[in-house]
Structures are given as structure tokens and as C-alpha cells.
Amino acid sequence: MIDTHCHLNDSQFDNDLDRVINNFFLSGGSAMICVGADFQSSMKAKIIAESNDNIYYTVGVHPDDCDKFDQSELEDLIITKSDKLVAIGEIGLDYFHNKSNKAKQIEVFVSQINLAIKYNLPIVVHCRDAYQDVYNILKEYSPLKIGVVMHCYSGSLEFASQLIKLGVKLSFTGSVTFNNAIKVKEVAKNIPLDTFFFETDAPYLTPEPNRGKRNEPKNVFDTAKFVANLRAIDAQKLIEITDENAKKFFNIKAF
Ligand code: NI
């Protein structure tokens, strides 16, 4: 199974990264995508991907860090990519943390969408309390020339349907297993099978039954099993389908 979004580059993994990676593969995991959130973490993601089989990476600047965005710095990192670069991300809008003003966040988001189009890479979108603005921006690019995934989807079913109409994919973290996550359960239960896949967002958002502990990629299985149960479908079958969705989306050929 693929963990399509984890932060192996987070300092919480500095002391036992090899063990965490091994745990994932020993649990039956097949590939991981290590996601950048600013220039430093994107560099680190690249190094981790280049030193391990079946680990891929993304580069991008998260809305919380968009005051540090430097277009040419990021573009250099894309130009000097290895063949394991699979997306630009995570990028987007965060009006919950609101670390910089909306206009700046939108400017940096749009710049990175344009870079993704220029280099023909999909984007991994972080969106918090900003669904309408993200939707409006994506709609301007419609029909979409690149893949777009809403990472850690937590909006309504109605919004999910609108996004899916644009061709956007959704990915679910362990947050779908939380007791109070009623809306996102409804989404995970009802959207078409070819429109989503799974991620951990480790070290954050640990699924039940380990909520509260540090998350790691091997826990992606818990989220998939939970959603399989919601949809009354065999977990192995669901994992096969969502892995195919992810491989197609990120253009991962083999592992
Ligand atoms: Ni993330």
C-alpha cells in the first residue's frame, strides 16, 4: 500500500527514521511520498527519497510558510530534480492558522500552480477554512491540465462533489477515523472509488486506535481499513483500487 503523504523529513523522525521506514515496508507497505513544506524540508525530502528505494518526494511551500517563498529558489529545486519528484506540494491556503495575509497566500499558491503547469507536475493542496477560495482559483484553471489532490480532505460532501466535477482527487488521513469527524466520514463513504486515495500526514493525525501517539506511515493501513468498513468493501480490494488511483495520479510506474 502507498502512503501518499508523509513528512519523514520532520524533525520528529530524526532519531529513528530508518526504523520508521523499515516498519512501513515490514507491515506490507509498498511506497511512500515524502512531502515538502518549505525550501529546507523540500531539500530534505529529496535527500530521503534519493537514499531509499520506493520513497518519492514533493517540493513546495506551505501557506504557513509563504512569507519565505522564493520563486527562483523553488524553481532551481524543480530543475535539479531526480526522477523521484512526483508533485509540487504541499501548497494552498490556510485561513485557520492565517500566518500571512490572504492576498500573499493566494499569490504564492498561484505562483506554485503556474510552476507545476510549467513542469507538468500534479499539485498537493493544503486547504484549511479556505475551500471557497481554493475552489475559485482551481476553477479558473479549468479544464485542469495537471492533477490536483486535496490533501487531508475535511470539507463537506457537497464541496467534494464540486471539486470532483473539476477533476480534483481527494485524500484521507487518520482524521477520518476520529469520533467527531462526521462530515468527512460521509464523504469517504459516498464519493466514487476512482476519486480518492490514502495518506498519513505523519507525524500528525494518527488514526484510531493509536490516536495521540506520534503517527508513522505504517498506520496508513488503519485508515484504509476504517474506510473499507464504512463502505462495506473488502479492505484489500479497496487498497488495490486506491493504490492504482495514486500511481496514476503521481505517475509512479513501478515499485
Ligand atoms: Ni502534510
Side-chain angles (χ1 to χ4, degrees), residues 26-172:
L26 288 172
S27 307
S30 48
M32 290 177 263
I33 299 175
C34 179
V35 172
D38 61 9
F39 182 74
Q40 293 305 330
S41 63
S42 297
M43 285 278 287
K44 200 168 165 185
K46 180 174 191 257
I47 292 166
I48 292 169
E50 284 172 354
S51 13
N52 289 280
D53 288 340
N54 301 319
I55 300 184
Y56 299 83
Y57 74 106
T58 75
V59 300
V61 177
H62 189 284
D64 286 357
D65 290 297
C66 72
D67 287 334
K68 290 189 281 174
F69 177 69
D70 177 333
Q71 165 106 12
S72 60
E73 190 181 59
L74 185 66
E75 192 160 5
D76 279 349
L77 199 51
I78 299 170
I79 293 167
T80 57
K81 70 185 163 79
S82 74
D83 58 2
K84 290 178 131 187
L85 177 66
V86 293
I88 302 298
E90 54 188 287
I91 63 176
L93 303 176
D94 193 318
Y95 297 164
F96 179 79
H97 290 143
N98 234 351
K99 291 211 175 148
S100 50
N101 68 55
K102 289 184 182 181
K104 179 70 181 173
Q105 292 194 40
I106 290 170
E107 177 199 317
V108 171
F109 183 34
V110 168
S111 300
Q112 294 184 95
I113 296 174
N114 292 334
L115 274 177
I117 292 170
K118 182 172 174 186
Y119 293 96
N120 193 28
L121 287 161
I123 57 172
V124 177
V125 177
H126 170 101
C127 172
R128 197 150 179 211
D129 291 354
Y131 279 105
Q132 193 62 54
D133 280 4
V134 165
Y135 178 80
N136 291 344
I137 290 167
L138 294 176
K139 194 152 171 43
E140 280 180 36
Y141 285 92
S142 171
L144 297 169
K145 293 195 204 79
I146 50 167
V148 177
V149 61
M150 299 295 290
H151 129 76
C152 189
Y153 186 74
S154 53
S156 66
L157 181 57
E158 191 194 339
F159 236 118
S161 310
Q162 288 187 40
L163 288 164
I164 288 167
K165 265 190 212 144
L166 284 184
V168 173
K169 306 291 182 199
L170 310 182
S171 83
F172 297 109

Side-chain angles (χ1 to χ4, degrees), residues 5-7 35 62 90 126 151 199 201-202 204:
H5 185 127
C6 58
H7 299 276
V35 172
H62 189 284
E90 54 188 287
H126 170 101
H151 129 76
E199 58 167 305
D201 206 22
Y204 312 105

Side-chain angles (χ1 to χ4, degrees), residues 211-255:
R211 188 176 183 185
K213 296 182 195 154
R214 182 188 67 171
N215 200 5
E216 54 175 282
K218 69 169 183 184
N219 296 330
V220 74
F221 288 96
D222 291 336
T223 303
K225 281 177 196 154
F226 185 91
V227 171
N229 200 31
L230 276 181
R231 298 185 68 115
I233 172 178
D234 176 65
Q236 202 46 49
K237 183 73 198 158
L238 179 63
I239 291 169
E240 267 171 40
I241 293 167
T242 54
D243 274 2
E244 272 312 307
N245 296 343
K247 279 167 83 173
K248 209 165 138 192
F249 181 87
F250 291 105
N251 197 20
I252 295 173
K253 298 251 159 39
F255 44 73

